[in-house]
Amino acid sequence: MAMRADVNKLMGGELGGWLEQQEGMRAEAKKKAWNRWFYGGIALLPLLAVLWFGPAWGGGIKFWVSTLAFGGLSAWGYMPINAAKREIKIGINSAIARELGIEYQHDVEPGDEFDAVERYGLLPDYDRSNFEDLWFGEIEGHGFQLYEAKLEERRGSGKNRRWVTVFRGAIIAMQFGRDFYSTTLLQRAGKHKSWFGFGGSKDFVKFDGHELGYVDQVHPAFEDMFDIYSDDQVEARVIAHPSYVEHLMAVEQAFNGDAVRALFQKGAVLIVVESGNLFESGAISSVGDRARTETAARQFSSLAQLAMAINQTERGQAISTSALGESDDARPSNPAGFGRKGF
């Protein structure tokens, strides 16, 4: 499977033709939005006039009622625009996925992979969540899925109550290129500090009673950036190879993000990347369709290449079980995995 969609081919073929056909839909959405704002405003102004110049009301009540009214009118007007943008986005991203031999869905229902990255502390605490942009299928014969998560926390009190985004980025799950049955956590250095942050990293961490021990590393650059915890010291050193640093840092630079981290469990690798809002290829104007398509294709390509690199599929055969100190007969040939799409 090609890791990067041919945007020239897409825009010169089926996708380009489909986008041209959507001009009428886009124009109709803008017209509906304008009509809602115009006629809604006409209906709203007399009511607000009564509020402000009629019987005496508290200034605070007038302000909040007016704010809510205009906010509701604005949101009502944007509904057809947002629906059009969503339809264009689905069309573009689906075309990219078909070009790559995988599938795309806008709506996402997280599965076991999300429960796992939550359990092992790869995500911050949050009060509400939103998920979108699911890409799934097979890459080099390995089951693969990727989607975007937005997590928010309620902070402040009284008038200062607000929603704060504590995470926005990609959740990636992929079947690993070799068999393993340990749990290994690749976390940012300093995430689990001992002695109130003055004694280095903890010797072990527990997640719902599952204890993972600290794994000593042999590569200084790797140790400065990541901590490894595992319930199998030998297997952890085989799975979390120092060469991952180059691939992990490359994706951080590509997205101007940080805090890439990973969990290896049940024959799968789960990767969390703080990368901001991704795959937003839809817009109400056709100007920039090509550029947005190129951006979405580049974003997916970078994340898919990260998954492939950390998976080691491209670097040859899987390490034999004898290298891990076990016979080939000691392991089943098809380990259980994560998620709805075969993990």
Side-chain angles (χ1 to χ4, degrees):
M1 185 203 89
M3 278 291 190
R4 183 72 176 267
D6 187 338
V7 176
N8 288 330
K9 178 182 175 182
L10 288 172
M11 297 303 294
E14 178 183 354
L15 177 59
W18 181 81
L19 287 171
E20 289 180 2
Q21 295 172 9
Q22 306 313 304
E23 281 302 294
M25 181 271 291
R26 282 167 153 163
E28 181 64 22
K30 288 187 282 189
K31 181 180 178 181
K32 284 183 179 179
W34 171 254
N35 286 340
R36 289 185 178 190
W37 289 324
F38 181 75
Y39 293 110
I42 290 176
L44 190 60
L45 287 176
L47 299 178
L48 293 179
V50 172
L51 175 67
W52 282 90
F53 303 108
W57 293 88
I61 295 177
K62 293 179 181 180
F63 172 78
W64 285 111
V65 170
S66 300
T67 300
L68 289 173
F70 281 113
L73 177 61
S74 177
W76 184 52
Y78 269 112
M79 284 181 180
I81 289 179
N82 290 336
K85 290 168 64 176
R86 183 180 187 273
E87 187 170 342
I88 296 297
K89 172 183 173 179
I90 292 174
I92 290 176
N93 290 352
S94 296
I96 293 172
R98 286 193 299 271
E99 171 74 7
L100 297 174
I102 58 175
E103 297 183 60
Y104 169 83
Q105 291 178 189
H106 182 273
D107 298 328
V108 181
E109 181 112 8
D112 295 341
E113 74 291 329
F114 188 77
D115 295 337
V117 294
E118 270 194 306
R119 178 188 179 190
Y120 288 92
L122 297 181
L123 294 171
D125 293 334
Y126 64 94
D127 297 310
R128 72 179 182 185
S129 58
N130 182 63
F131 306 92
E132 62 182 10
D133 298 329
L134 171 65
W135 308 74
F136 64 96
E138 286 193 355
I139 296 180
E140 300 295 332
H142 296 272
F144 173 93
Q145 69 175 23
L146 179 159
Y147 56 85
E148 184 183 338
K150 180 182 179 181
L151 309 178
E152 297 175 287
E153 184 177 55
R154 190 75 164 176
R155 294 180 183 174
S157 60
K159 294 182 179 180
N160 294 321
R161 293 280 283 176
R162 65 198 186 282
W163 288 102
V164 177
T165 299
V166 293
F167 174 85
R168 186 155 201 169
I171 310 293
I172 306 171
M174 189 172 188
Q175 293 173 328
F176 204 58
R178 59 188 57 163
D179 290 347
F180 68 90
Y181 294 88
S182 61
T183 295
T184 297
L185 175 65
L186 182 68
Q187 186 58 276
R188 304 303 290 203
K191 172 69 174 180
H192 301 292
K193 291 183 178 180
S194 62
W195 299 102
F196 303 100
F198 297 104
S201 298
K202 291 182 178 180
D203 292 332
F204 65 88
V205 289
K206 283 187 177 181
F207 303 95
D208 293 339
H210 186 190
E211 182 174 309
L212 305 179
Y214 183 81
V215 180
D216 290 325
Q217 302 171 52
V218 296
H219 196 292
F222 193 65
E223 189 171 15
D224 288 342
M225 293 163 29
F226 295 96
D227 287 336
I228 302 176
Y229 291 91
S230 181
D231 54 13
D232 187 323
Q233 295 277 318
V234 175
E235 198 168 60
R237 290 186 178 89
V238 174
I239 293 171
H241 193 273
S243 61
Y244 291 156
V245 174
E246 298 175 6
H247 302 295
L248 293 172
M249 298 313 297
V251 80
E252 289 187 359
Q253 294 173 2
F255 287 93
N256 297 317
D258 59 6
V260 174
R261 52 264 197 194
L263 175 70
F264 301 83
Q265 189 180 54
K266 296 183 180 180
V269 55
L270 310 180
I271 305 172
V272 175
V273 186
E274 294 188 36
S275 49
N277 195 10
L278 302 173
F279 316 123
E280 294 303 315
S281 54
I284 194 62
S285 171
S286 61
V287 177
D289 275 348
R290 181 186 182 88
R292 287 185 291 270
T293 301
E294 289 176 341
T295 297
R298 183 178 65 253
Q299 289 173 339
F300 177 80
S301 174
S302 295
L303 293 175
Q305 287 176 12
L306 165 66
M308 287 297 296
I310 200 170
N311 194 359
Q312 296 191 12
T313 305
E314 291 183 327
R315 289 203 287 272
Q317 297 179 349
I319 290 178
S320 66
T321 53
S322 59
L324 299 178
E326 298 185 22
S327 68
D328 291 342
D329 294 336
R331 298 170 180 264
S333 60
N334 187 22
F338 286 103
R340 308 172 310 287
K341 306 297 180 184
F343 292 95

